Each structure stands twice: as C-alpha cells, then as structure tokens.
Amino acid sequence: MILKVIGLVLLFLLLLLLLLLGLVLLVPFRYAGAGHKGEAATDYAAHIDLSWLLHVVQLHADITPAGLAYSLRILCFRPVDSSGGFALQDEHTDVELKQPSKDEKISEESVNVPESKAEASERAAAQTAEVDSIELKSSTTPEQLKETKTVADETPTSDIDQESKTKRTSPAAEEPKKKKRKKFLFADRIKRICEKASSLREMVEDEENQKAVRLLISRVKYLLHHLRFRRFEGRLAFGFEDPAMVGRTLAVLSLFYPLYGERFTITPVFDHTLFEGEITLKGHVRLIHILIAGIQLMMNKKIRGLVLDRI
C-alpha cells in the first residue's frame, strides 16, 4: 500500500513537471513595443510589454530621459517594481534641492584646511631645493673648473674619432641586412596567406562542411519564419552633413528592404544632420521552435564539434 502511494505521488509529480515543461515550450511569449525619437537629444522614449500564459505573468519596462523603470507582475502580486526609483528627476517635478546646513559647511572647510597646508609645504620644499641648487653652483671654485677642463683635454681624440666612424659606417652596413629581413618577412607573409587560402578551399570543398552550412542556413530561415514580427510599422528620417555618407547609409539599408518593405518608411535628408522617427512592433515567440532548431544543429558532427571546441 505504501509503495502504491509513493508510486502515485511520483507519477503525479512527473505529470506536473511534464505539464509545466509543455506550457513553457508551447505557450508563446507575447511581446509588444513602441518608441519614438525626436530631433532633440533628450526627446526619446520606449515602452516594452512581455506577457505569458494569458497575462498571468507580465513584464513592463519604460525607457525615458529620466531613467529606466520596470515592473514584474504575477497574478495580482508585484515581486519587482522600480517605479519612482529614478536617479534623475523630470524638469516638471516640484522637487526642491536640499541646501547644505551650517554643520556640513564647517565640516567641508575643516576637510579642505589640511589640503592647503600640504600644498604650502610642497611649495616650500620646492623653493628650498631651488635655493640649494643655486648655492651649489655658486660654491664651485675656479680650481674645480680647471680640473674638469684638464680631464676633458686628456681624453684621447682617437677614441672619439673611432666612435664617430663606427656610427657613420654602421647604418651603411646594416642596410643590406634590413633589405634581406624585409624580403624574408614578405615571403613568409605570402606563404601564410597561401596556406590560409588552401585551408579555406579545403573547408569549402569538403562535403560535410557544405552539409553543415546548408543545414545552418535552413535552420536560420526556419527561425526567422517563426520568430518574425506579426506587426512592424514605423518611419525613420536621418541625415548627415556629408551627402555621400547619406547615400552609403541608404544603400546599406536598402539591402534589408525585403524584411521591412512598405511598412517602414525611410526618408533621407541631405542638407543637415538629423535622426528622428518612431516604431511599433508586436509578435510572439515559442521556445519549442528554438529547441527544435538547436537539436537539429547539434545532431551535425561539424557544428557539434565547433560548439564543443569553443566551450
């Protein structure tokens, strides 16, 4: 009887775990967001909403010039809520700045006094060092000056001539050596480039690598199909002082036209710097699709080996 009860309890726990796993994998995570950016640097705002399981779990986040605010709600409970905890205050809030009291002023003055004494002591030490150096220079006698001159005269001129000759002849002798080194380094670089090109060619021509690349491309398309935005609208106006830069940027953005199409309009400006626009998006994500794509990729030997080597 006891074993039967234990078995039923374990079976119930197993079914509960399977139910939770199925909910996490199959029930989609829904998201919605909106944002705008004006011409001014402080004119921007963004709002993001995440929900799961018929809004049982909700996450809200707002980004404004005042800071970041977020809150997590599970049923009727809010375990995480940062509303009102901004580090910066809005200009329209009626918050008065606190003025330091008299005690704080006195404490600041008392802290600043030792720093002024330390600076004064450093200056006095520098002045004394300068005075000592001047006294040493004035205390040198003419006899000491004569001795230094005689020592300089006694140094043989032959040694100086030899050193000057070696200095003159050494660069001329090292020029052919430098040329040989440059040639050797250039040849070594060419060999390395050829080796890399041959290794890349072998990797491309390998059938297993081709299969891995085809599988990776197909799984990326699969994820893009299932994780795409269900709603995506917006507009963007941008410009630079250099019209050529505007043209290059527009050429790059045109490559992604199949992704946004007519739902997202881009307006180039060629006469002044500008970046402003707005966007709204909505969609959902099921973790089962990510799990399926990951399992299929890890079934390939090349991809699995590459991932394990990086780990």
Side-chain angles (χ1 to χ4, degrees):
M1 186 65 182
I2 296 173
L3 295 175
K4 187 176 181 179
V5 172
I6 293 172
L8 290 173
V9 172
L10 293 176
L11 180 62
F12 176 76
L13 293 175
L14 181 61
L15 292 174
L16 183 61
L17 290 174
L18 290 175
L19 178 62
L20 292 175
L21 183 62
L23 290 174
V24 171
L25 293 176
L26 298 176
V27 176
F29 290 84
R30 302 184 182 277
Y31 61 87
H36 79 274
K37 172 68 174 66
E39 295 184 4
T42 58
D43 185 10
Y44 66 90
H47 178 74
I48 300 172
D49 291 330
L50 295 174
S51 62
W52 179 68
L53 197 61
L54 299 175
H55 297 277
V56 172
V57 180
Q58 295 182 15
L59 176 64
H60 306 282
D62 292 306
I63 300 172
T64 59
L68 172 65
Y70 54 90
S71 64
L72 176 64
R73 191 180 76 176
I74 301 174
L75 293 176
C76 298
F77 305 99
R78 291 181 180 270
V80 178
D81 190 359
S82 67
S83 61
F86 296 123
L88 298 174
Q89 297 292 337
D90 193 1
E91 294 179 356
H92 301 287
T93 55
D94 299 330
V95 179
E96 296 182 357
L97 296 174
K98 292 183 179 180
Q99 295 181 355
S101 61
K102 294 181 179 180
D103 297 334
E104 292 177 353
K105 290 181 179 178
I106 293 168
S107 62
E108 289 178 357
E109 292 176 357
S110 62
V111 171
N112 292 327
V113 169
E115 293 180 356
S116 61
K117 288 182 178 179
E119 291 177 357
S121 61
E122 289 179 359
R123 290 177 183 175
Q127 290 176 359
T128 52
E130 290 178 358
V131 171
D132 293 337
S133 63
I134 292 167
E135 289 178 355
L136 289 173
K137 289 179 182 179
S138 61
S139 62
T140 53
T141 59
E143 294 178 355
Q144 292 177 354
L145 295 172
K146 289 180 182 180
E147 289 179 358
T148 55
K149 289 182 180 179
T150 53
V151 170
D153 294 333
E154 289 177 358
T155 55
T157 59
S158 60
D159 295 337
I160 297 170
D161 294 335
Q162 288 179 359
E163 289 178 358
S164 62
K165 287 179 181 179
T166 54
K167 287 180 180 179
R168 291 176 183 176
T169 57
S170 59
E174 288 181 356
E175 284 182 0
K177 293 181 180 179
K178 289 181 179 179
K179 290 181 179 179
K180 289 181 180 179
R181 289 175 185 173
K182 288 180 180 179
K183 290 180 181 179
F184 178 75
L185 292 173
F186 183 71
D188 191 13
R189 288 178 183 176
I190 292 173
K191 287 181 181 178
R192 289 179 181 176
I193 292 169
C194 293
E195 290 176 356
K196 289 181 180 179
S198 62
S199 64
L200 288 173
R201 184 181 297 174
E202 291 177 357
M203 290 175 64
V204 171
E205 293 177 353
D206 191 3
E207 293 182 358
E208 293 184 357
N209 290 332
Q210 292 178 358
K211 290 180 181 179
V213 172
R214 286 196 295 269
L215 178 63
L216 182 62
I217 293 171
S218 65
R219 293 304 88 194
V220 169
K221 290 181 179 179
Y222 172 80
L223 289 175
L224 289 176
H225 175 71
H226 288 284
L227 304 180
R228 70 184 187 278
F229 298 126
R230 297 300 187 265
R231 180 186 175 187
F232 182 74
E233 297 176 354
R235 63 176 183 83
L236 173 65
F238 73 96
F240 302 101
E241 294 180 356
D242 186 6
M245 189 65 185
V246 178
R248 292 174 192 150
T249 307
L250 191 62
V252 173
L253 294 175
S254 64
L255 298 174
F256 302 95
Y257 181 78
L259 296 177
Y260 56 83
E262 297 179 355
R263 296 171 295 178
F264 193 84
T265 59
I266 298 175
T267 305
V269 179
F270 295 92
D271 56 353
H272 64 279
T273 302
L274 177 67
F275 184 80
E276 63 96 13
E278 57 186 13
I279 186 174
T280 58
L281 53 90
K282 190 176 181 180
H284 63 265
V285 177
R286 285 189 176 93
L287 297 182
I288 187 65
H289 299 303
I290 300 173
L291 181 63
I292 290 171
I295 291 172
Q296 290 177 350
L297 289 174
M298 292 303 292
M299 292 294 289
N300 187 277
K301 291 182 181 179
K302 290 289 184 179
I303 297 174
R304 184 173 64 249
L306 181 63
V307 172
L308 293 176
D309 291 338
R310 293 296 178 90
I311 294 175

